[in-house]
């Protein structure tokens, strides 16, 4: 199949957007930018259409999709037993990087929810995404627009790298702002539970609705405790080379990474180092990339996946990354980095 790439980096192209909406309504696939990462969209109320998402990504069929809406009132058609807390959270954070889990209505096919009786819903904060949802009929099911197991795409070129020829259209809206997937909060239990950390952190949620728990599966060292969001159990977000995180006081971290990088090069390997603007100049070995500055957390989150992809292209054999102290996004950034590393951490 030929994939149409529509350049909307300088604004929405009305004709192309109409075409994209038509593709969605006819059961096709359109990738689109959001403020978090690029999504791969299909009509969420059409089981055959959402099945195409799984096929294009090579995604396990038990890993549910998030349904994207453009108006709060549209929630009622797809969700049941909507608690008061949902309206409060929507008032505070929608459109924005927050996904809420509800009981699903019969209108949502099991093909969209991975067989679950619950549905994940989000209103993205991006003009292209909102226009596509409107043009496509109001309910766009979308996971991240990458091949399953690869880092999520933060620019249209990443989507093309993985999915060109497998989907109908890519809407290019330039680089995304946040670069990490949305926070997921489950509102179907008595107490709200964070299933995936993101830009909207625990404190921000608690300021609006009171106590919110963190899913034990996210933090537990016990391998028998599984994360509740089906997608969180996969080794996801992963680069091809094995990645190790080095954590501790800055000086000791740099010493350790220099040592490990030298050893890997002596073995004939090719080393990638994920550093920051503050530390990048202090590594004499390896291919060093700064992910951003420690004084701006969004600079780190927005570049992380892109750097993992760059290291894939450079065919490094090992990646060493500094751990990041990021008070606001820390849980989210370290959660993704830990998953990419398959939990390999060296404490110094
Ligand atoms: P992605 O957008 O690619 O990050 O994939 C969507 C994420 O949302 C996956 O991690 C899913 O496991 C999670 N998710 C979607 N629907 C549900 C649901 N009903 N219950 C729990 N997690 C969900
Ligand atoms: Mg994903």
């Amino acid at each position: 199949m030929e994939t149409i790439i529509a350049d909307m980096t300088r604004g929405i192209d009305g004709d192309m957007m109409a075409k994209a909406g038509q593709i969605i309504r006819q059961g096709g696939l359109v990738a689109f930018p959001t403020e978090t990462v690029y999504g791969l969209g299909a009509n969420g109320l059409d089981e055959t259409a959402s099945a195409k998402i799984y096929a294009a990504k090579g995604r396990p069929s038990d890993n549910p999709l998030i349904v994207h809406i453009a108006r709060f009132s549209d929630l009622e058609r797809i969700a049941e037993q909507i608690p008061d807390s949902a309206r409060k959270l929507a008032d505070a954070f929608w459109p924005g990087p927050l996904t809420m889990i509800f009981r699903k209505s019969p209108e949502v096919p099991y093909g969209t929810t991975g067989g679950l009786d619950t549905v994940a819903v989000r209103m993205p904060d991006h003009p292209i995404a909102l226009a596509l949802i409107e043009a496509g009929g109001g309910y766009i099911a979308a996971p991240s627009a990458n091949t399953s197991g690869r880092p999520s795409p933060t620019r249209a070129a990443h989507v093309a790298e993985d999915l060109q020829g497998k989907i109908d259209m890519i809407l290019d809206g330039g680089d995304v702002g946040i670069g990490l997937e949305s926070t997921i909060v489950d509102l179907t239990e008595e107490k709200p539970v964070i299933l995936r950390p993101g830009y909207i952190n625990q404190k921000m949620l608690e300021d609006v609705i009171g106590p919110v728990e963190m899913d034990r599966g996210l933090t537990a060292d016990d391998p028998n405790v599984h994360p509740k969001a089906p997608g969180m159990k996969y080794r996801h977000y992963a680069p091809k080379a094995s990645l190790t995180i080095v954590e501790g006081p800055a000086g000791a971290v740099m010493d350790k990474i220099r040592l490990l990088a030298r050893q890997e090069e002596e073995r004939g390997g090719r080393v990638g180092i994920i550093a920051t603007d503050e530390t990048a100049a202090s590594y004499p070995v390896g291919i060093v990339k700064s992910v951003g500055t420690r004084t701006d957390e969004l600079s780190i989150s927005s570049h992380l996946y892109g750097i993992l992809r760059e290291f894939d292209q450079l065919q490094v054999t090992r990646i060493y990354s500094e751990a990041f102290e990021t008070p606001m996004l820390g849980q989210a950034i370290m959660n993704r980095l830990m998953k990419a590393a398959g939990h390999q951490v060296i404490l110094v």
Side-chain angles (χ1 to χ4, degrees):
M1 134 183 349
E2 200 205 324
T3 303
I4 304 166
I5 298 182
D7 181 357
M8 300 199 185
T9 50
R10 265 180 249 105
I12 293 177
D13 174 331
D15 290 343
M16 280 296 184
M17 188 56 80
K19 169 104 186 133
Q22 189 187 26
I23 290 171
I24 295 283
R25 278 181 278 103
Q26 290 174 347
L29 300 183
V30 177
F32 60 98
T34 77
E35 79 281 32
T36 59
V37 299
Y38 273 73
L40 177 60
N43 179 359
L45 304 184
D46 174 352
E47 191 145 26
T48 320
S50 34
K52 290 184 190 165
I53 292 178
Y54 290 90
K57 281 179 59 86
R59 181 177 177 99
S61 61
D62 68 346
N63 190 2
L65 310 175
I66 295 170
V67 180
H68 294 73
I69 59 174
R71 279 173 301 212
F72 186 79
S73 56
D74 288 346
L75 183 59
E76 274 165 35
R77 186 166 163 201
I78 54 173
E80 287 180 352
Q81 303 169 30
I82 301 169
D84 288 342
S85 54
R87 177 170 287 282
K88 290 186 192 148
L89 289 174
D91 282 345
F93 302 118
W94 276 4
L98 177 69
T99 296
M100 298 188 234
I101 311 272
F102 304 98
R103 302 248 138 244
K104 83 170 191 71
S105 82
E107 290 230 35
V108 185
Y110 283 111
T112 295
T113 66
L116 298 174
D117 288 313
T118 53
V119 61
V121 187
R122 176 165 109 84
M123 189 190 295
D125 187 14
H126 196 292
I128 296 177
L130 292 169
L132 180 68
I133 296 165
E134 293 280 3
Y139 298 93
I140 296 200
S144 50
N146 51 291
T147 298
S148 204
R150 295 213 68 204
S152 294
T154 55
R155 54 175 60 159
H158 297 161
V159 180
E161 213 171 272
D162 287 7
L163 299 175
Q164 185 135 40
K166 296 182 178 172
I167 64 177
D168 298 285
M169 196 170 187
I170 299 171
L171 306 182
D172 182 356
D175 288 4
V176 301
I178 296 176
L180 297 178
E181 302 83 352
S182 58
T183 305
I184 302 181
V185 63
D186 184 352
L187 299 180
T188 66
E189 305 282 339
E190 201 152 324
K191 233 194 202 167
V193 185
I194 295 173
L195 304 186
R196 177 171 75 184
Y199 179 83
I200 308 291
N201 63 30
Q202 189 171 14
K203 164 105 182 19
M204 291 160 81
L205 296 172
E206 289 187 330
D207 285 348
V208 178
I209 56 167
V212 175
E213 283 173 5
M214 196 52 101
D215 178 17
R216 282 216 319 126
L218 293 174
T219 46
D221 286 330
D222 183 347
N224 296 315
V225 179
H226 297 292
K228 211 184 151 208
M232 299 300 280
K233 69 175 183 273
Y234 297 106
R235 182 172 177 258
H236 209 189
Y237 320 119
K240 289 173 189 156
S242 120
L243 164 65
T244 304
I245 302 165
V246 182
E247 193 172 346
V253 165
M254 288 189 277
D255 284 344
K256 185 72 179 176
I257 292 180
R258 278 190 288 260
L259 177 69
L260 290 166
R262 205 168 291 125
Q263 287 170 342
E264 175 69 8
E265 289 196 343
E266 278 163 16
R267 284 192 294 267
R270 198 173 158 90
V271 181
I273 296 175
I274 303 179
T276 50
D277 290 356
E278 290 77 8
T279 59
S282 17
Y283 293 101
V285 279
I287 304 169
V288 185
K289 296 207 179 277
S290 171
V291 66
T293 163
R294 285 174 181 269
T295 59
D296 176 8
E297 297 187 23
L298 280 177
S299 75
I300 295 181
S301 65
S302 63
H303 293 122
L304 181 63
Y305 287 144
I307 285 194
L308 295 178
R309 280 178 180 265
E310 284 178 43
F311 279 139
D312 276 352
Q313 276 182 339
L314 291 166
Q315 299 188 317
V316 297
T317 50
R318 274 200 156 270
I319 305 170
Y320 295 105
S321 177
E322 300 173 3
F324 308 110
E325 283 288 338
T326 44
M328 191 192 143
L329 272 162
Q331 286 171 323
I333 294 177
M334 285 312 290
N335 167 269
R336 304 310 194 279
L337 201 55
M338 289 286 273
K339 276 167 68 66
H343 292 261
Q344 294 185 78
V345 185
I346 296 175
L347 290 172
V348 288

